[in-house]
Amino acid sequence: MALWRGSAYAGFLALAVGCVFLLEPQLPGSALRSLWSSLQLGPAPAPPGPGSPEGRLAAAWDALIVRPARRWRRVAVGVNACVDVVLSGVKLLQALGLNPGNGKDHTELRSRNDLKEAFIHFMGKGAAAERFFSDKETFHNIAQIASEFPGAQHYVGGNAALIGQKFAANSDLKVLLCGPVGPKLHELLDDNVFVPPESLQEVDEFHLILEYQAGEEWGQLKAPHANRFIFSHDLSNGAMNMLEVFVSSLEEFQPDLVVLSGLHMMEGQSKEFQRKRLLEVMTAISDIPTGIPVHLELASMTNRELMSSIVHQVFSAVTSLGLNEQELLFLSQSASGPHSSLSSWTGVPDVGMVSDILFWILKEHGKSESRASDLTRIHFHTLAYHILATVDGHWANQLAAVAAGARVAGTQACATETIDTRRVSLKAPREFMTSRSADGSRVMLNPNEPVVEWHREGVSFHFTPVLVCKDPVRTVGLGDAISAEGLFYSEVHPH
């Protein structure tokens, strides 16, 4: 009995020390080890760090991420830019006098109630979304309340401005940004970003970013993931007003990489306007000298006709695409691609399905011997993992590029300079199929070799997990930072 009591006592103390360790990971490691060894319970458990799967993965990335032999010198980015006002979605809706209720998606917001229902709909899924608010007066009233709300923060916004800002962090790069730049945005931009005078305007465009945290509750609602809901009444970006300024600036700037975004902002416009503007976009892209790669960054959309037009008209004219899981599935649904009968992803998007859709895009709309297309690269990003799909023979250093994109997702979300292994977790599937429609192979994830490569009919895939920030400081602009970082480490073969 005494022996049993001693064992139980030791076990209880071991459990207590384990709890202390979990609850207070910041305690000095020496103190924990000393406490553990005094109980004579054997080796102390390893703290989250170099030996953990997250630590091993982060160390493996650092070894893999090398700069390309041929680097970009001048990057031109356009054409959507704004000021993001970031605040708690639940607190803003409460400040507007709104109560929790049932969620409902609205492709366009016309009232405060529409805003509440759409926010609840997406918060319940833990999914990001972006909507146009058609009532100018109501929007400006909400925007004023949001902008003056305690704790509201003002940031550089708009895909083009965010990508330009990310590139500008590299002092050896010259960055041109064309978009509607008002006084507040100009003040927020990096000194390394050049804005042509024609892009400057007297008033800023504001986008409201309503954030929520994983597990945050409002009434019966509970968010499964941290994410954000974005809305605006943005006419300058919606009309792509700076497209012509952008193209006319390229001749003098002489970029070796062009990044285009903002096509999704046309959703609030008429079908005729969209049709006319897409033709002008095509003309603008065709005016860019041959040999300069053009990357198109997509964003959240609800208009299938517009998405289908972008797929069939614009894809063949660009060299590279950047998108997330919602945009990828919506693209497939809009253009009758693989797995388009799926209404939405449940949990982490299936790697095999994602791979099938990426393969289909490059096979149907990408560069081949029988098709006059420039599209050779797609950078796909979702919360738990990233995939880079490239047509063979056109890109180099993609192993480093996909790893760099994933690493920046972990550092930017946690607002740290390097990966802090205590603040991130590995959420990618530990095993997956590389295809659901073809003879895919089964892959087991190894944190020591975090980039998995496979090939299918002239297309190469590079997959890597993301170390997901447990308590994200900021989710806005992550996709743009990922795409910019992936491009920064990419090397295009001259043709």
Side-chain angles (χ1 to χ4, degrees):
M1 180 67 83
L3 181 64
W4 182 88
R5 278 190 194 134
S7 301
Y9 180 64
F12 175 79
L13 281 178
L15 183 63
V17 173
C19 289
V20 169
F21 175 76
L22 286 170
L23 294 171
E24 290 294 341
Q26 278 77 27
L27 269 178
S30 56
L32 285 168
R33 283 192 293 274
S34 172
L35 179 57
W36 189 272
S37 60
S38 71
L39 297 169
Q40 299 180 327
L41 298 173
S52 65
E54 289 82 1
R56 287 183 286 136
L57 198 147
W61 275 343
D62 289 343
L64 290 173
I65 298 170
V66 293
R67 295 280 289 267
R70 292 175 66 252
R71 303 174 189 178
W72 315 112
R73 296 169 296 106
R74 305 170 79 84
V75 181
V77 188
V79 292
N80 61 327
C82 63
V83 173
D84 280 343
V85 182
V86 183
L87 72 163
S88 158
V90 170
K91 286 179 180 172
L92 176 65
L93 294 178
Q94 288 173 334
L96 294 173
L98 296 165
N99 296 312
N102 294 322
K104 181 184 176 184
D105 190 11
H106 294 273
T107 55
E108 186 178 292
L109 309 179
R110 295 181 172 85
S111 66
R112 291 183 176 202
N113 197 58
D114 284 0
L115 168 64
K116 179 189 82 170
E117 289 180 345
F119 176 81
I120 288 170
H121 174 79
F122 286 103
M123 182 176 167
K125 292 174 176 289
E130 190 165 342
R131 294 293 181 265
F132 180 76
F133 201 112
S134 58
D135 186 318
K136 180 181 176 181
E137 197 172 316
T138 304
F139 174 78
H140 283 300
N141 175 255
I142 296 170
Q144 187 171 355
I145 293 168
S147 198
E148 295 168 0
F149 196 83
Q153 295 170 300
H154 295 78
Y155 293 103
V156 170
N159 308 87
L162 284 161
I163 290 171
Q165 190 84 330
K166 187 66 187 171
F167 273 122
N170 303 285
S171 56
D172 54 347
L173 262 183
K174 288 188 167 56
V175 181
L176 171 82
L177 171 66
C178 286
V181 178
K184 182 66 178 177
L185 178 57
H186 206 208
E187 174 194 318
L188 291 168
L189 284 170
D190 192 291
D191 292 341
N192 207 21
V193 176
F194 171 68
V195 180
E198 300 88 344
S199 270
L200 298 173
Q201 57 182 44
E202 291 179 10
V203 180
D204 283 286
E205 295 288 354
F206 287 98
H207 287 208
L208 303 191
I209 319 289
L210 307 190
E211 293 197 321
Y212 50 86
Q213 301 305 314
E216 186 172 350
E217 297 181 25
W218 191 36
Q220 300 298 307
L221 184 66
K222 186 173 182 178
H225 310 292
N227 225 314
R228 78 279 180 189
F229 181 83
I230 305 175
F231 68 105
S232 68
H233 177 83
D234 184 339
L235 299 178
S236 295
N237 287 306
M240 295 188 74
N241 281 346
M242 293 298 165
L243 181 66
E244 284 74 20
V245 170
F246 184 42
V247 176
S248 63
S249 302
L250 297 181
E251 192 174 346
E252 185 183 342
F253 185 69
Q254 297 276 300
D256 45 21
L257 172 65
V258 171
V259 179
L260 177 66
S261 64
L263 298 183
H264 65 288
M265 295 298 300
M266 292 195 288
E267 283 203 313
Q269 307 288 345
S270 68
K271 284 184 182 178
E272 180 55 31
F273 179 91
Q274 291 170 358
R275 189 190 65 78
K276 179 170 170 284
R277 206 67 177 125
L278 278 181
L279 286 172
E280 288 162 352
V281 167
M282 289 302 296
T283 304
I285 294 173
S286 65
D287 286 344
I288 296 168
T290 308
I292 297 175
V294 179
H295 173 86
L296 174 64
E297 189 69 16
L298 294 177
S300 176
M301 293 175 67
T302 59
N303 184 325
R304 289 196 179 194
E305 201 173 323
L306 177 59
M307 176 60 98
S308 179
S309 297
I310 291 169
V311 171
H312 290 102
Q313 291 179 45
V314 183
F315 276 19
S316 62
V318 301
T319 324
S320 170
L321 288 177
L323 41 64
N324 69 16
E325 76 279 8
Q326 285 184 289
E327 293 138 23
L328 185 79
L329 184 58
F330 186 66
L331 188 163
S332 194
Q333 291 166 344
S334 303
S336 305
H339 312 297
S340 54
S341 59
L342 192 69
S343 60
S344 63
W345 301 111
T346 51
V348 176
D350 182 87
V351 177
M353 288 184 173
V354 167
S355 170
D356 289 339
I357 302 173
L358 295 174
F359 177 76
W360 166 78
I361 295 170
L362 289 173
K363 279 295 172 185
E364 287 292 315
H365 303 282
K367 195 177 188 73
S368 69
E369 289 180 8
S370 59
R371 187 185 303 107
S373 169
D374 290 326
L375 182 60
T376 52
R377 177 185 184 273
I378 308 174
H379 190 167
F380 168 83
H381 47 86
T382 185
L383 184 71
Y385 65 86
H386 296 173
I387 298 177
L388 254 172
T390 50
V391 177
D392 291 350
H394 296 278
W395 292 87
N397 212 43
Q398 294 306 279
L399 189 146
V402 75
R407 183 175 66 179
V408 84
T411 56
Q412 185 154 315
C414 282
T416 53
E417 287 294 313
T418 57
I419 293 287
D420 182 343
T421 53
R422 295 167 303 177
R423 296 181 58 191
V424 294
S425 60
L426 187 57
K427 299 235 172 141
R430 297 304 172 101
E431 58 177 288
F432 58 85
M433 295 296 294
T434 59
S435 173
R436 290 294 181 187
S437 61
D439 291 332
S441 55
R442 184 172 293 280
V443 171
M444 302 289 288
L445 197 61
N446 177 3
N448 297 326
E449 297 174 5
V451 178
V452 180
E453 187 175 345
W454 67 92
H455 304 272
R456 184 175 169 187
E457 295 176 37
V459 175
S460 293
F461 296 85
H462 290 85
F463 165 101
T464 198
V466 172
L467 292 175
V468 181
C469 188
K470 295 175 188 174
D471 185 19
V473 176
R474 187 162 178 254
T475 60
V476 179
L478 266 186
D480 301 304
I482 289 161
S483 286
E485 197 78 350
L487 280 168
F488 180 75
Y489 281 93
S490 292
E491 181 180 348
V492 69
H493 290 315
H495 284 280

PDB file of all heavy atoms in Angstrom, residues 361-373:
ATOM      1  N   ILE A 361      -6.794  24.377 -64.005  1.00  0.00           N
ATOM      2  CA  ILE A 361      -6.597  25.768 -64.445  1.00  0.00           C
ATOM      3  C   ILE A 361      -5.411  25.847 -65.412  1.00  0.00           C
ATOM      4  O   ILE A 361      -5.500  26.447 -66.492  1.00  0.00           O
ATOM      5  CB  ILE A 361      -6.368  26.723 -63.250  1.00  0.00           C
ATOM      6  CG1 ILE A 361      -7.600  26.800 -62.356  1.00  0.00           C
ATOM      7  CG2 ILE A 361      -6.011  28.131 -63.755  1.00  0.00           C
ATOM      8  CD1 ILE A 361      -7.369  27.539 -61.036  1.00  0.00           C
ATOM      9  N   LEU A 362      -4.292  25.230 -65.019  1.00  0.00           N
ATOM     10  CA  LEU A 362      -3.092  25.305 -65.865  1.00  0.00           C
ATOM     11  C   LEU A 362      -3.256  24.514 -67.158  1.00  0.00           C
ATOM     12  O   LEU A 362      -2.716  24.895 -68.200  1.00  0.00           O
ATOM     13  CB  LEU A 362      -1.863  24.832 -65.088  1.00  0.00           C
ATOM     14  CG  LEU A 362      -1.392  25.788 -63.986  1.00  0.00           C
ATOM     15  CD1 LEU A 362      -0.276  25.170 -63.157  1.00  0.00           C
ATOM     16  CD2 LEU A 362      -0.922  27.124 -64.572  1.00  0.00           C
ATOM     17  N   LYS A 363      -4.011  23.398 -67.123  1.00  0.00           N
ATOM     18  CA  LYS A 363      -4.227  22.607 -68.337  1.00  0.00           C
ATOM     19  C   LYS A 363      -5.217  23.276 -69.290  1.00  0.00           C
ATOM     20  O   LYS A 363      -5.066  23.217 -70.501  1.00  0.00           O
ATOM     21  CB  LYS A 363      -4.715  21.191 -67.974  1.00  0.00           C
ATOM     22  CG  LYS A 363      -3.588  20.258 -67.567  1.00  0.00           C
ATOM     23  CD  LYS A 363      -2.641  20.013 -68.750  1.00  0.00           C
ATOM     24  CE  LYS A 363      -1.398  19.260 -68.371  1.00  0.00           C
ATOM     25  NZ  LYS A 363      -0.445  19.145 -69.493  1.00  0.00           N
ATOM     26  N   GLU A 364      -6.246  23.919 -68.707  1.00  0.00           N
ATOM     27  CA  GLU A 364      -7.286  24.552 -69.545  1.00  0.00           C
ATOM     28  C   GLU A 364      -6.933  25.972 -69.982  1.00  0.00           C
ATOM     29  O   GLU A 364      -7.346  26.421 -71.047  1.00  0.00           O
ATOM     30  CB  GLU A 364      -8.617  24.582 -68.780  1.00  0.00           C
ATOM     31  CG  GLU A 364      -9.296  23.241 -68.654  1.00  0.00           C
ATOM     32  CD  GLU A 364      -9.796  22.717 -69.992  1.00  0.00           C
ATOM     33  OE1 GLU A 364     -10.395  23.488 -70.764  1.00  0.00           O
ATOM     34  OE2 GLU A 364      -9.558  21.521 -70.266  1.00  0.00           O
ATOM     35  N   HIS A 365      -6.193  26.697 -69.151  1.00  0.00           N
ATOM     36  CA  HIS A 365      -5.954  28.121 -69.418  1.00  0.00           C
ATOM     37  C   HIS A 365      -4.475  28.495 -69.393  1.00  0.00           C
ATOM     38  O   HIS A 365      -4.120  29.653 -69.628  1.00  0.00           O
ATOM     39  CB  HIS A 365      -6.726  28.975 -68.404  1.00  0.00           C
ATOM     40  CG  HIS A 365      -8.197  28.687 -68.400  1.00  0.00           C
ATOM     41  ND1 HIS A 365      -9.049  29.171 -69.368  1.00  0.00           N
ATOM     42  CD2 HIS A 365      -8.956  27.923 -67.564  1.00  0.00           C
ATOM     43  CE1 HIS A 365     -10.282  28.736 -69.113  1.00  0.00           C
ATOM     44  NE2 HIS A 365     -10.247  27.972 -68.036  1.00  0.00           N
ATOM     45  N   GLY A 366      -3.614  27.542 -69.076  1.00  0.00           N
ATOM     46  CA  GLY A 366      -2.186  27.820 -68.968  1.00  0.00           C
ATOM     47  C   GLY A 366      -1.438  27.637 -70.277  1.00  0.00           C
ATOM     48  O   GLY A 366      -2.009  27.241 -71.296  1.00  0.00           O
ATOM     49  N   LYS A 367      -0.152  27.904 -70.216  1.00  0.00           N
ATOM     50  CA  LYS A 367       0.714  27.842 -71.395  1.00  0.00           C
ATOM     51  C   LYS A 367       0.894  26.394 -71.848  1.00  0.00           C
ATOM     52  O   LYS A 367       1.146  25.504 -71.033  1.00  0.00           O
ATOM     53  CB  LYS A 367       2.083  28.442 -71.061  1.00  0.00           C
ATOM     54  CG  LYS A 367       2.957  28.766 -72.261  1.00  0.00           C
ATOM     55  CD  LYS A 367       4.255  29.419 -71.791  1.00  0.00           C
ATOM     56  CE  LYS A 367       5.075  29.941 -72.953  1.00  0.00           C
ATOM     57  NZ  LYS A 367       4.500  31.143 -73.566  1.00  0.00           N
ATOM     58  N   SER A 368       0.766  26.157 -73.145  1.00  0.00           N
ATOM     59  CA  SER A 368       1.031  24.831 -73.715  1.00  0.00           C
ATOM     60  C   SER A 368       1.429  25.014 -75.177  1.00  0.00           C
ATOM     61  O   SER A 368       1.328  26.115 -75.731  1.00  0.00           O
ATOM     62  CB  SER A 368      -0.205  23.940 -73.611  1.00  0.00           C
ATOM     63  OG  SER A 368      -1.227  24.396 -74.478  1.00  0.00           O
ATOM     64  N   GLU A 369       1.850  23.942 -75.788  1.00  0.00           N
ATOM     65  CA  GLU A 369       2.268  24.019 -77.195  1.00  0.00           C
ATOM     66  C   GLU A 369       1.107  24.390 -78.099  1.00  0.00           C
ATOM     67  O   GLU A 369       1.300  25.001 -79.152  1.00  0.00           O
ATOM     68  CB  GLU A 369       2.868  22.670 -77.634  1.00  0.00           C
ATOM     69  CG  GLU A 369       4.231  22.392 -77.013  1.00  0.00           C
ATOM     70  CD  GLU A 369       4.798  21.060 -77.451  1.00  0.00           C
ATOM     71  OE1 GLU A 369       4.209  20.438 -78.352  1.00  0.00           O
ATOM     72  OE2 GLU A 369       5.824  20.649 -76.873  1.00  0.00           O
ATOM     73  N   SER A 370      -0.100  24.022 -77.695  1.00  0.00           N
ATOM     74  CA  SER A 370      -1.265  24.270 -78.557  1.00  0.00           C
ATOM     75  C   SER A 370      -2.062  25.516 -78.172  1.00  0.00           C
ATOM     76  O   SER A 370      -3.055  25.835 -78.808  1.00  0.00           O
ATOM     77  CB  SER A 370      -2.195  23.055 -78.509  1.00  0.00           C
ATOM     78  OG  SER A 370      -2.616  22.835 -77.174  1.00  0.00           O
ATOM     79  N   ARG A 371      -1.627  26.228 -77.118  1.00  0.00           N
ATOM     80  CA  ARG A 371      -2.408  27.395 -76.654  1.00  0.00           C
ATOM     81  C   ARG A 371      -1.522  28.616 -76.460  1.00  0.00           C
ATOM     82  O   ARG A 371      -0.474  28.537 -75.838  1.00  0.00           O
ATOM     83  CB  ARG A 371      -3.123  27.057 -75.342  1.00  0.00           C
ATOM     84  CG  ARG A 371      -4.101  28.159 -74.890  1.00  0.00           C
ATOM     85  CD  ARG A 371      -4.705  27.883 -73.533  1.00  0.00           C
ATOM     86  NE  ARG A 371      -5.393  26.604 -73.499  1.00  0.00           N
ATOM     87  CZ  ARG A 371      -4.925  25.539 -72.884  1.00  0.00           C
ATOM     88  NH1 ARG A 371      -3.781  25.600 -72.216  1.00  0.00           N
ATOM     89  NH2 ARG A 371      -5.579  24.405 -72.900  1.00  0.00           N
ATOM     90  N   ALA A 372      -1.988  29.745 -76.990  1.00  0.00           N
ATOM     91  CA  ALA A 372      -1.256  31.009 -76.815  1.00  0.00           C
ATOM     92  C   ALA A 372      -1.634  31.600 -75.464  1.00  0.00           C
ATOM     93  O   ALA A 372      -2.542  32.416 -75.357  1.00  0.00           O
ATOM     94  CB  ALA A 372      -1.593  31.978 -77.945  1.00  0.00           C
ATOM     95  N   SER A 373      -0.971  31.151 -74.413  1.00  0.00           N
ATOM     96  CA  SER A 373      -1.225  31.639 -73.060  1.00  0.00           C
ATOM     97  C   SER A 373       0.103  31.884 -72.372  1.00  0.00           C
ATOM     98  O   SER A 373       1.098  31.223 -72.671  1.00  0.00           O
ATOM     99  CB  SER A 373      -2.040  30.610 -72.268  1.00  0.00           C
ATOM    100  OG  SER A 373      -2.092  30.952 -70.895  1.00  0.00           O
TER     101      SER A 373
END
